Amino acid sequence: LDAINNGKDSWKVKVRVIRLWDAINLNNNELISLDMILLDEHGTMIHAKVIKHMVNKFRPLIQEGLVYMIANFKVTSAMNFRPVEGDKIINFLHTTKIQEIKGLKNIRIAEQSFMFCSVEVLSTRDGQRMYLSDVIGVASYIGNIEETGTTHGISKIRDIVLRIEDQKVNIRLWGNKVDQIDEDSMVLS
């Protein structure tokens, strides 16, 4: 994955799909794309996506956790809201080929990969739109669901405070993610 670039569309990579999700427009709940994080045998991760009008073609062929040979895709520069720390993204094309690789002896790719960062790094990302950050902490506050205006309409939000490494980190959930946590999830101390 380190070697791929936007110089051609005929790349071929062996990767594990370690995350797979639908990117949804939070304002109208419409599908934007099928997104995934791919991991190669060197531990390199990259964001990949299938745009809306090709999702029905590729969704049945892709399963989180499995290893694939993926060929004929476009590499472009990553924009805002990157789920991994990299400057490239793989875009599936109509001509993209995907084939599952079976047999444990042929697979030397880890099952998962994470990019944990310190609270200091998280605080430098506050207000930025570059990287999405996964965090693990203890919820010390879970706010009510509220509505806020955005440039695209009204969206639901919920503020949360997590304790991480003896510090408090403010988190904001958007759209349908606000319903995935409630006050019963909070640990009282």
Side-chain angles (χ1 to χ4, degrees), residues 48-66:
K49 66 172 44 196
V50 178
I51 58 176
K52 180 179 178 176
H53 72 275
M54 291 191 289
V55 168
N56 289 340
K57 174 181 179 179
F58 288 103
R59 184 189 306 273
L61 306 175
I62 304 169
Q63 184 177 330
E64 189 171 297
L66 298 183

Side-chain angles (χ1 to χ4, degrees), residues 19-171:
R19 311 260 195 311
L20 181 68
W21 71 96
D22 289 338
I24 302 292
N25 181 324
L26 299 179
N27 298 305
N28 58 19
N29 287 325
E30 287 187 20
L31 178 70
I32 298 170
S33 57
L34 176 64
D35 287 44
M36 63 201 86
I37 297 175
L38 307 177
L39 176 67
D40 71 9
E41 58 193 7
H42 303 291
T44 302
M45 291 185 286
I46 194 167
H47 181 200
K49 66 172 44 196
V50 178
I51 58 176
K52 180 179 178 176
H53 72 275
M54 291 191 289
V55 168
N56 289 340
K57 174 181 179 179
F58 288 103
R59 184 189 306 273
L61 306 175
I62 304 169
Q63 184 177 330
E64 189 171 297
L66 298 183
V67 175
Y68 298 94
M69 188 66 71
I70 303 175
N72 303 326
F73 51 83
K74 185 162 196 63
V75 179
T76 59
S77 296
M79 303 302 273
N80 292 336
F81 304 112
R82 299 176 187 179
V84 297
E85 294 182 3
D87 60 353
K88 299 178 279 194
I89 185 168
I90 289 176
N91 296 280
F92 280 48
L93 304 169
H94 284 292
T95 57
T96 298
K97 303 290 184 209
I98 184 164
Q99 180 181 359
E100 182 183 351
I101 297 175
K102 297 182 180 183
L104 294 176
K105 66 178 181 178
N106 297 323
I107 300 172
R108 292 182 179 87
I109 301 174
E111 302 261 333
Q112 291 291 337
S113 184
F114 299 95
M115 294 295 292
F116 293 113
C117 58
S118 67
V119 173
E120 290 77 24
V121 171
L122 281 175
S123 66
T124 65
R125 293 180 177 177
D126 187 25
Q128 293 183 359
R129 295 176 173 224
M130 184 65 72
Y131 297 111
L132 301 174
S133 302
D134 292 330
V135 296
I136 298 173
V138 177
S140 61
Y141 169 80
I142 299 174
N144 294 322
I145 296 173
E146 301 175 21
E147 289 187 343
T148 188
T150 70
T151 56
H152 302 289
I154 301 295
S155 182
K156 294 190 295 183
I157 59 171
R158 174 175 261 170
D159 291 328
I160 298 171
V161 177
L162 293 181
R163 286 192 322 248
I164 304 172
E165 299 176 9
D166 296 328
Q167 295 187 27
K168 291 183 178 180
V169 177
N170 297 315
I171 308 290

